[in-house]
Amino acid sequence: MCGIVGYLGEKNAAPLLFDGLRRLEYRGYDSAGIAVVSGRSLCSVKTVGKVELLVEAAKELHGVGTVGIAHTRWATHGEPSVPNAHPQFDCTESIAIVHNGIIENYPALRKRLEEKHRFMSETDTEVIAHLIEEYLITDGSFEPAVRRALADLQGTYAIAVLFAYEHETIIAARQGSPLVVGLGEGEYFVASDPAAFLKHTANVLYLSDGEMAVISPDGVNITDLANNEIQRDAVQVTREPEELEKNGFPHFMLKEIFDQTQTIEESFCERLDDEEGTARLSTLLDFFPHILRSRRITIVACGTSWHAGLVGEYMLERYTHIPVEVEYASEFRYRDPLLMPDDVVIAISQSGETADTLAALREAKCKGAIVIGICNSAESSIARECDATLFMNAGQEIGVASTKAYTSQLVVLLLLTLALARKKTMSRDEGQLLIRELRSLPGKIERILTNSASILRIAEEFYQCQHFLYLGRGFNFPNALEGALKLKEISYIHAEGYPAAEMKHGPIALIDANMPVVFLAPRDHTYEKILSNIQEVKARKGRIITVADEEDKDVEQVSDYVIRIPKTIEALTPILTIVPLQFLAYQIAVLRGCNVDQPRNLAKSVTVE
C-alpha cells in the first residue's frame, strides 16, 4: 500500500525514481508524484493515475538533479487528486515529504498550524511538512526540525524528506510502516520495499520503529528519536530482480498461478522426513513442547491469509486435536482477547507487513502468548517480531490478488500439522501417506492447468454475469470464500462464499436461472451432503459449475459444467480445488477488460489500519 522511493548519488535521479515506482506498482495506488533537488530549489510533478502518466508529464525532470524522492499514493485522507498526491510541501515549497501510513492526530495538528501555515491538500501528510517548517524557524537546522516534528506525531508513518537548502540530504524515518535503505557504490536508495532498487543493490539497512536515518554522500547515520546513535550491520536481500518479471506471461497473476507447480514444492522442499513420516521444522524445535501442551491455538490473519487460517483450523483440529480459533486480525486486539501464557498465536501474512496482523501479534505477545509467524519475507516486520517464523518460500508475489502465496500458506500449515500430529497420535504410516500425497501435488496442479481450456469456456459463458455464489463444505468451505474473493477482487463481480448447508438459511432466495453457483465437491466425507445441496440449486434452475474429482461421474448428471481435479486425500484437496477457481477468476477478469494485476482500490500489502 503506497510506495516510497528515494535516491541520492551521482546519477540522474528521475529515471531511477521512475523505475523504482514501476517496481512498486503491485502495491496498489491511485496517484503518483516526484520531487528532485535542483540547485537550491525543488522541482516536482504530480499526476492522478498510473506511473506512466507521471513519467510522461515529468519529462523535463530528466537530468535536473541527482537527489530526489517519489511516491505512489493509495488514498486514505482526501480523494485521489493532484493536490492530495505526494510529495506534500511546506508553505515555501522548500520541504518535500512522501509518506506511507496514517497520522491519527493530524486534525489537532492541522488546527494548530492553520493559524500560520497555508494548507493546499486534504491529506494528513501535509501537516508533517508544515511541522518541519515550523521547527526549522526555531532550530535552524533540517535534522533537529524533523526529529521534533516526528515527536509530535501519533499514528504510523514511513517518510522520506527533502529540504532544498540542505540539498545533499534525505531524511527517512519509520513508525509502524516498513522502510529500507539501500547501499550502493557511491549511491543510496530509500524505499518501502527493496524491490524498488534491487537491480542496483541488494545491500540494505532495515529501519525499525522509532528510528531515523540521515542519508548523505558521507553515508547513512541511524538514530532513535532521542538522537541516540544506532549501529546496524547491512544485510543482503535474497530476492532476485528476475522475480519481478512476467517471463512471457501477459499478467503477473497468470504467471503466479502457473508458478504454483514450483512454489508448492519450494514450500515443502527439504522439510520432509519420508522415513519417519514427519516434517522437519527447525525454527520450531524449542517451541514444540509448548505448542503440544497449549490450551488453544489462535490464528490471526486478514483477507486471503485468513482463509488459509480457516483451512489450517480444519487441519490442526483433525490431526492434532488441539482446539483452534481463527480471528480477523483487524478485530482481535480491539476486543481485549482472552489469552493465557500457555496459548499459542499463529500470525499469517504474505508480506509480513500487514498492519492489523502486526498489531494483533504485538497484543498477543503483551499477553504472554507464544507467537509463531507464517510469512514470505525473512526481512519483514512479522518475521523479526515473532518468537519463531515458518517461511513460505513462495518467492515475490506481484499480482495484488494472492494465488501462489495462498497455496504455499496451506502447505506450511500442513507441515506444521504433520510435525505436531506425529508427536501426538498420528502413526508413521499415516504420516508417510500424507507426505507421498503432498509430493504429488505439483504434478497434479500441472495436470489441472494443462486441461484449463474447459475453464476458459466457462469464463466465456459467464463473464457478463453480475453475481456468483460459491459453496463448499468441510476443508473446502474456506475455498468457497477464497474463490469468491478472487472473483470480486479482479473482475468486480459481486460474489459470495458460504458453507453449502447455509445456503438454505438465506442465499437460496437469490437462486434463479441467471445465477451461476460454483460447488466444490471432491469425494470426501461431506460428498453425499453436497450432492444434495447441488440438487437443491438445480431444482431452482441455478447454473451449476462443479469442481470434482476426475473419476466422478455422478456430478455430471446434476451439473451444467464440471471442472476436473486429480484425486487426493481430504486434507490436501483445498490446495487443488483453489487452482481452477483462481484461473476462472483470471479469465473472467481478462474477458471483462479489467486490470488484473492492479485492481481498483486494492493494495498488495495493507500497511495501514
Side-chain angles (χ1 to χ4, degrees), residues 373-386:
I374 296 177
C375 69
N376 204 24
S377 172
E379 301 90 13
S380 66
S381 299
I382 285 178
R384 294 199 299 272
E385 294 192 30
C386 285

Side-chain angles (χ1 to χ4, degrees), residues 1-6 17 20-33 49-51 70-80 84-88 97-103 123-125 156-160 176-180 190-196 351 353-355 396 398 400 598-599 601-609:
M1 180 173 290
C2 300
I4 288 173
V5 189
L17 295 172
L21 290 183
R22 290 186 184 101
R23 293 176 180 275
L24 296 182
E25 284 191 285
Y26 74 93
R27 295 171 69 91
Y29 67 101
D30 44 54
S31 58
K50 294 303 178 185
V51 167
H71 190 263
T72 50
R73 176 178 185 254
W74 187 85
T76 54
H77 296 77
E79 67 181 10
N84 289 334
H86 295 198
Q88 289 291 311
I97 180 169
V98 291
H99 164 227
N100 294 350
I102 292 177
I103 305 305
T123 68
D124 54 337
T125 302
T156 60
Y157 56 79
I159 63 167
S177 193
L179 203 61
V180 60
V190 61
S192 45
D193 187 320
S351 67
E353 300 292 351
T354 308
Q396 181 83 6
I398 303 298
V400 166
Q598 297 167 29
N601 302 332
L602 294 180
K604 182 63 178 172
S605 178
V606 183
T607 56
V608 296
E609 290 190 62

Side-chain angles (χ1 to χ4, degrees), residues 4 69 71 76-77 86-92 94-114 117-137 139 141-163 171-175 177 179 212 225:
I4 288 173
I69 56 176
H71 190 263
T76 54
H77 296 77
H86 295 198
Q88 289 291 311
F89 297 91
D90 69 320
C91 295
T92 65
S94 61
I95 297 166
I97 180 169
V98 291
H99 164 227
N100 294 350
I102 292 177
I103 305 305
E104 294 173 356
N105 63 332
Y106 95 96
L109 292 172
R110 179 165 179 152
K111 185 176 181 181
R112 181 183 110 194
L113 291 163
E114 279 179 329
H117 298 266
R118 182 183 74 257
F119 280 78
M120 304 299 292
S121 79
E122 303 168 89
T123 68
D124 54 337
T125 302
E126 191 179 356
V127 300
I128 310 175
H130 291 298
L131 278 173
I132 296 170
E133 178 186 15
E134 184 85 358
Y135 290 130
L136 265 170
I137 297 170
D139 290 304
S141 183
F142 185 27
E143 183 181 341
V146 174
R147 198 180 307 280
R148 287 187 66 185
L150 294 178
D152 287 349
L153 304 181
Q154 297 171 16
T156 60
Y157 56 79
I159 63 167
V161 193
L162 295 178
F163 179 39
I171 294 182
R174 165 194 170 145
Q175 180 63 48
S177 193
L179 203 61
M212 188 172 97
L225 295 189

Side-chain angles (χ1 to χ4, degrees), residues 243-254:
E243 293 181 18
L244 307 178
E245 305 299 332
K246 295 177 186 174
N247 295 339
F249 287 90
H251 299 96
F252 280 110
M253 183 180 178
L254 185 61

Side-chain angles (χ1 to χ4, degrees), residues 68 73 103 119 121 231 276 281 289 296 314 324 377 400 450 467 497 580:
R73 176 178 185 254
I103 305 305
F119 280 78
S121 79
Q231 298 296 325
E276 292 300 319
L281 304 176
R296 177 183 57 183
Y314 281 91
V324 179
S377 172
V400 166
T450 300
H467 307 278

Side-chain angles (χ1 to χ4, degrees), residues 425-465:
T425 59
M426 181 183 285
S427 69
R428 185 169 69 172
D429 287 347
E430 192 175 6
Q432 289 174 333
L433 172 62
L434 207 157
I435 287 175
R436 285 196 300 272
E437 287 295 319
L438 182 57
R439 287 194 183 280
S440 75
L441 290 184
K444 290 177 178 178
I445 288 175
E446 188 169 5
R447 279 161 56 188
I448 293 170
L449 293 172
T450 300
N451 298 315
S452 57
S454 62
I455 303 174
L456 176 57
R457 287 194 293 272
I458 296 169
E460 290 170 340
E461 176 70 20
F462 292 104
Y463 77 96
Q464 292 180 314
C465 291

